[in-house]
Amino acid sequence: MIRIAAVGDVHIDRDVLGRFRPALEELPEHADVLLLAGDLTRHGTEAEAKCVATEFGGLGVPVIAVLGNHDHHCDEVPGVLAALGDAGITVLEGDSTVVRVDGVRLGVAGVKGFGGGFAGRCASEFGEPEMKAFVRTTGAVAERLGAALRDLDCDVRVALTHYSPVPDTLAGEPLEIYPFLGSYLLGQAIDSAPTALAVHGHAHHGSERGRTPGGVRVRNVAHPVIKQAYSVFNLAADNVSSSAASGI
Amino acid sequence: MNDYTEAEVQRALAEDLGVAEQGITVVRTEPGLVLCGEVESPHRRDEIVRLVHERFPGIEIAADIGVTRAAAPTEAEELA
């Protein structure tokens, strides 16, 4: 069994420092890895990222993150990445990492993702350059996520995004803003590989559980949705490929 | 208060760097508006109310904003 802790949208700044720490101190008792599903900072300054590093660094388990839209707002992404990297937090964007848990290789592929909407109500690559650029951005990001998932050499695959790959976990949000909360292209990318679990944030008023059209379980771990420091998902043995289970 | 003011309040909450909140719902009521949602600290709740009072001085505001709990989970979800 692999135990995955996850939370998104923690929006850390100085005023939040220490709030998560008591729960994080006991995290290694409950989980083997912590996933951070974007919007780590309030508006994407290097100073806020240093607060994230203080709060989520040195946990004793690997911490793997993607950035969110808030983490881009002040155009300080290089400084944000440096601060997180200095704390040993792995930040994914179109790539992946593998963590070994009791001999099982857990592969996590991640992207921030982007919007565009869902089947029947999605934006199209048509018309003004701005509109085409918007849709192309999501398409390119989704392609990178799919490639990263398919290329993983591991026993269990998990997809980590900030934007949602399905509309299910947006239930509770106004329908009018769904196109700004996610894209079916991310779901299609997740379904292109044998993914065991997809984790995202971004939708503060959304709901916890959903499923891609291909049957991959999706969990919205935005902090205001889960209302706890992190959620823990225990992936049972039948999510682990037969080669890993048999020790080959 | 009309639609345009409601939109201005919503945008101010997101775009003011001292607030930067996209998760607050603005509900129009007869005397003014109610701000609903969750934030990460009491300070942020106070900043939201202060900002709206300052930018929209004529509007009566009620705040129903909670601080998101950050306790350790009491149970895990088993994914068979």
Side-chain angles (χ1 to χ4, degrees):
Chain A
M1 183 174 73
I2 296 178
R3 306 170 304 166
I4 297 169
V7 62
D9 305 81
V10 290
H11 296 288
I12 301 288
D13 199 351
R14 280 176 303 176
D15 60 326
V16 179
L17 268 181
R19 277 201 79 223
F20 287 81
R21 203 65 201 184
L24 293 171
E25 296 291 350
E26 58 180 86
L27 187 145
E29 298 168 25
H30 307 298
D32 305 304
V33 61
L34 172 64
L35 307 183
L36 298 176
D39 277 6
L40 314 177
T41 65
R42 203 172 178 191
H43 38 66
T45 67
E46 188 175 345
E48 291 168 351
K50 285 179 179 169
C51 293
V52 176
T54 302
E55 195 76 357
F56 288 92
L59 291 189
V61 301
V63 181
I64 302 166
V66 292
L67 299 186
N69 54 314
H70 279 244
D71 306 317
H72 282 259
H73 185 69
C74 283
D75 297 322
E76 295 182 20
V77 169
V80 168
L81 292 174
L84 298 176
D86 288 346
I89 297 173
T90 301
V91 183
L92 302 175
E93 180 52 49
D95 52 353
S96 65
T97 187
V98 176
V99 174
R100 195 171 279 274
V101 179
D102 292 336
V104 177
R105 295 165 302 163
L106 168 67
V108 181
V111 292
K112 174 179 64 64
F114 203 45
F118 300 92
R121 299 161 186 83
C122 63
S124 301
E125 196 177 315
F126 183 85
E128 304 91 325
E130 294 85 353
M131 193 65 202
K132 287 184 284 201
F134 174 65
V135 177
R136 279 179 192 149
T137 299
T138 309
V141 166
E143 274 182 30
R144 289 203 296 276
L145 175 63
L149 282 166
R150 291 188 300 274
D151 291 347
L152 265 169
D153 183 15
C154 66
D155 305 307
V156 182
R157 280 178 182 75
V158 171
L160 176 62
T161 62
H162 179 59
Y163 285 75
S164 178
V166 294
D168 312 24
T169 46
L170 304 182
E173 295 281 3
L175 282 170
E176 295 88 340
I177 68 168
Y178 276 30
F180 302 107
L181 298 177
S183 166
Y184 78 95
L185 293 169
L186 298 171
Q188 201 168 28
I190 288 164
D191 278 341
S192 75
T195 308
L197 174 68
V199 172
H200 75 87
H202 195 41
H204 290 203
H205 297 294
S207 48
E208 285 190 68
R209 296 181 181 85
R211 197 172 274 260
T212 65
V216 176
R217 282 165 301 202
V218 179
R219 295 294 180 267
N220 177 358
V221 295
H223 186 214
V225 170
I226 64 173
K227 299 186 192 306
Q228 54 190 359
Y230 47 86
S231 288
V232 177
F233 307 105
N234 292 340
L235 280 176
D238 58 359
N239 287 288
V240 178
S241 73
S242 56
S243 61
S246 62
I248 296 171
Chain B
M1 194 172 92
N2 59 26
D3 281 3
Y4 299 128
T5 310
E6 182 185 339
E8 284 173 26
V9 171
Q10 196 87 61
R11 285 191 58 176
L13 293 175
E15 295 171 8
D16 185 283
L17 282 190
V19 173
E21 292 285 351
Q22 293 188 289
I24 300 298
T25 304
V26 178
V27 180
R28 279 157 62 179
T29 59
E30 194 46 51
L33 59 82
V34 182
L35 302 168
C36 306
E38 296 205 6
V39 293
E40 292 291 341
S41 74
H43 170 72
R44 295 187 192 184
R45 177 173 55 201
D46 297 344
E47 281 299 294
I48 287 169
V49 174
R50 189 195 59 73
L51 173 78
V52 179
H53 270 305
E54 187 180 290
R55 295 266 191 96
F56 307 91
I59 297 176
E60 194 172 313
I61 301 163
D64 192 9
I65 299 170
V67 177
T68 310
R69 295 184 289 274
T74 53
E75 55 192 82
E77 182 180 355
E78 305 293 333
L79 299 178

